[in-house]
Amino acid sequence: MKNFVDKIQMSRITSICAMKTTTKMYLSVILSTLCIVFFQYQLSKASFVTLQRSDSIGGSTSTNNIITSEKNGNELKEPSPMLPPLYIITPTYRRPEQLAEITRLGYTLKHVPNLLWLVIEDAATPSALVTRQLKRIGVPFEHLVAPMPDKFKKRVVKPRGVSNRNRGLTWIRKNATDGVFYFADDDNTYDLEIFDQMRHTKKVSMWPVGLVTKYGLSSPIVRNGSISGFYDGWIGGRKYPVDMAGFAVNVKFFLSRPKAIMPYHAGYEEDKFLRSLSPLNITEIELLASNCTEILTWHTQTKKNPVASPIDMHKYNGTNLVRLRKLIV
Ligand SMILES: *[C@@H]1O[C@H](CO)[C@@H](O)[C@H](O)[C@H]1NC(C)=O
Ligand SMILES: *[C@@H]1O[C@H](CO)[C@@H](O)[C@H](O)[C@H]1NC(C)=O
Ligand SMILES: *[C@@H]1O[C@H](CO)[C@@H](O)[C@H](O)[C@H]1NC(C)=O
Ligand SMILES: *[C@@H]1O[C@H](CO)[C@@H](O)[C@H](O)[C@H]1NC(C)=O
Ligand SMILES: *[C@@H]1O[C@H](CO)[C@@H](O)[C@H](O)[C@H]1NC(C)=O
């Protein structure tokens, strides 16, 4: 009897042991399954976040861009392999409103990912104030100088910005291999949407510009989805009567046109530069801003200000005006 009980107990103990072993097995299987599931979840979450980010980087709405850049700060400025680089060529020169314009444009560009800002001064040496402001804004930049040759300074209508833009083009020829470039003057206003659109230019893209000439507008005339002419207050016998702010050019396409250059011909800079990209069939020009139905750029032209009266440094010596004087023109 005792033996029998012992046997039963033994078998119970064995079965308990066996059960324990099974439970252990089950537990470890469940545990490792949980581990795998958790790991995969983390992975999918990570790739979802990446996807979301690149979505909003290349996204079509500027609101997305603003939100993302606010959340991620400078992260957005890291080159993204998914986005072609954008080269923004900005000619500038010393004048009362220069720093104000650079600041305004700079903080617009700060919302645009994978961008290099080529800021080129019409000056013999780079201005320390411009350099300081560029560093402060924090958009990746190259600060270059390209003074206008003396012979053009004597002209009644000076071909302003030509030496600067050609310097930018030289930089691109030497250093860029792909992406798109755009001439963004510092006195214009830019909707962020246009940067998203121009980035995918294959050869040359065009779109309307507001506040240009007496028409208040310069734009290709689009009929049935293709260009049938140009609307601009001043045609002047130009083949491409467009504003500097109204077109972008693909870098590879530009590199395949070794003679492309901007001429020193006031009023004809855009036209002759675009002609120098020949051969280019007008049917190949890509129409942005919803087939040129929206205005996403304006030739704002900040009102010119007179040069400031000199500060009486004897009267104001020892005050803040000593330093402020250095900031104004
Ligand atoms: C190419 O880029 C380098 C580095 O930024 C710069 O020093 C150089 O001047 C550029 N070349 C031209 C032709 O602008
Ligand atoms: C627009 O294109 C369509 C077909 O592509 C054609 O039938 C139509 O006549 C065109 N309209 C104009 C105004 O050119
Ligand atoms: C532009 O017009 C063309 C031809 O009418 C059309 O196929 C295309 O979808 C339009 N694009 C946009 C962005 O409206
Ligand atoms: C431009 O391309 C269109 C369509 O491909 C063609 O009909 C036209 O002849 C071309 N124009 C020139 C100047 O080559
Ligand atoms: C301003 O004051 C400094 C000393 O504080 C003096 O060296 C300088 O000559 C003064 N400048 C003028 C223009 O009075």
Side-chain angles (χ1 to χ4, degrees), residues 42-54:
Q42 285 298 324
L43 265 184
S44 70
K45 215 177 99 180
S47 65
F48 175 65
V49 168
T50 317
L51 212 95
Q52 257 195 332
R53 248 196 70 191
S54 52

Side-chain angles (χ1 to χ4, degrees), residues 7-17:
K7 259 186 184 167
I8 289 172
Q9 274 189 339
M10 269 305 283
S11 73
R12 271 176 70 185
I13 287 165
T14 319
S15 68
I16 284 167
C17 278

